[in-house]
Amino acid sequence: MTLFNRRQKQDAQVDFQNLPRHIAIIMDGNGRWAKKRNMPRSYGHGVGAETFRTIATYCKEIGLEYLTVYAFSTENWKRSQEEVGAIMGLLKKYLLEAIGQMERDRVKMEFFGDLSALTPELQELCEQTREISKRYDGCQVNICLNYGGRDEIVRAAKAYAQDCLEGKADPNHLTEERFGGYLFSKGVPDPELIIRPSGELRLSNFLPWQSAYSEFYFTDVLWPDFDKEELHRAIAAFQHRSRRFGGV
Ligand code: FPP
């Protein structure tokens, strides 16, 4: 290990009084993590789901207001039936457990994406989770399911155009804020920090509208190995950035 690596691996100093309000994560690297261990990709997703649970619980503990994760994209349907089935099975398991524990955990859950493509059973579970969540006002976890950022913008544009046709909206009065009200993320502040593990340096259609001023943190760590220390490094890196929003 080089001196640089050793220094990098030290636990980072986080100012917990000054956390971002909203962190978004692309949970990437499950397949490669499994392959390294000669295991099927679905095994990697299973461990990735556990990592999600640990990180979501920790985010709530430290007082984060919003956590958004990319669980399944509009493009992920191209994967084998077996892999898609495994991810959907993990989501079902997670939602069933979450519903059972919501009273205790008091985590609010929301879903971004076109849920109509999911099985009726999964849709029902998402709906139930949403309904129960209305009782809570703590940390909100948004799970992106069958989500694509461009798809989200096109849907919003269609809904807005429809409101214009029906006389409910006037294009002369359209603002970024009003348009944001047509997105899946309506009412949720933009993520200040977006984390992508697994060494990939791209956004992959994740929150393109909402990430206009986000800070990015990339790490080679694969999602199943992502832990609290890595989250600390990401937050500490964010806290050292100078955010000017186009000003000086
Ligand atoms: C990306 O890694 C990961 C996915 C497409 C699925 C993520 C799903 C989970 C973590 C499990 C279910 C989620 C919840 C919220 C319970 P990849 O498969 O693209 O990995 P690779 O790039 O190494 O192939």
Side-chain angles (χ1 to χ4, degrees):
M1 201 183 243
T2 64
L3 180 63
F4 176 69
N5 278 341
R6 220 177 297 135
R7 225 182 264 145
Q8 251 196 340
K9 290 291 167 203
Q10 282 171 2
D11 201 4
Q13 293 298 312
V14 171
D15 175 1
F16 288 99
Q17 304 308 314
N18 203 10
L19 292 173
R21 291 184 71 193
H22 184 178
I23 296 179
I25 307 181
I26 301 177
M27 304 188 290
D28 196 14
N30 297 342
R32 276 165 285 167
W33 186 90
K35 194 170 176 215
K36 274 187 176 177
R37 289 158 180 81
N38 289 319
M39 296 297 279
R41 298 176 58 82
S42 54
Y43 179 69
H45 294 312
V47 180
E50 286 309 314
T51 302
F52 161 68
R53 210 187 293 267
T54 306
I55 293 297
T57 306
Y58 185 62
C59 283
K60 188 199 157 219
E61 274 169 31
I62 61 176
L64 190 80
E65 286 180 68
Y66 299 92
L67 172 71
T68 300
V69 293
Y70 209 178
F72 196 84
S73 76
T74 44
E75 288 75 33
N76 286 153
W77 297 106
K78 293 182 207 148
R79 298 187 178 204
S80 74
Q81 246 186 345
E82 188 196 348
E83 185 171 347
V84 170
I87 296 173
M88 294 301 159
L90 286 165
L91 282 164
K92 180 179 156 187
K93 181 168 172 269
Y94 175 76
L95 290 177
L96 282 170
E97 285 168 11
I99 289 169
Q101 293 173 358
M102 275 175 106
E103 199 60 55
R104 186 197 73 191
D105 295 346
R106 309 186 79 77
V107 168
K108 220 173 139 87
M109 281 172 67
E110 192 40 79
F111 302 90
F112 294 173
D114 173 17
L115 302 186
S116 70
L118 306 180
T119 61
E121 187 188 25
L122 260 180
Q123 288 182 49
E124 174 57 33
L125 285 174
C126 292
E127 203 37 57
Q128 245 180 288
T129 315
R130 260 187 181 143
E131 267 312 302
I132 303 174
S133 290
K134 286 185 185 154
R135 294 190 224 139
Y136 309 127
D137 55 6
C139 177
Q140 177 169 328
V141 177
N142 306 305
I143 300 185
C144 297
L145 268 183
N146 192 25
Y147 173 87
R150 288 185 174 180
D151 176 65
E152 178 183 34
I153 295 170
V154 170
R155 278 166 193 278
K158 276 190 189 163
Y160 176 72
Q162 189 60 40
D163 276 357
C164 289
L165 285 174
E166 291 173 17
K168 294 183 200 154
D170 173 355
N172 293 313
H173 296 137
L174 182 61
T175 60
E176 291 178 11
E177 203 184 340
R178 282 202 182 131
F179 189 73
Y182 287 83
L183 298 169
F184 293 127
S185 59
K186 63 176 173 291
V188 175
D190 290 341
E192 294 98 322
L193 171 62
I194 296 186
I195 300 174
R196 181 161 196 166
S198 95
E200 306 292 354
L201 306 179
R202 56 178 174 269
L203 206 47
S204 300
N205 210 9
F206 184 51
L207 307 176
W209 173 279
Q210 299 85 345
S211 63
Y213 281 100
S214 302
E215 296 294 329
F216 291 87
Y217 178 83
F218 296 105
T219 168
D220 287 340
V221 169
L222 302 173
W223 176 248
D225 288 329
F226 195 94
D227 55 13
K228 290 176 194 172
E229 285 69 38
E230 197 55 46
L231 182 70
H232 290 167
R233 277 179 215 117
I235 298 174
F238 165 80
Q239 289 177 334
H240 284 100
R241 305 267 174 95
S242 153
R243 305 185 78 214
R244 293 183 296 279
F245 303 96
V248 285

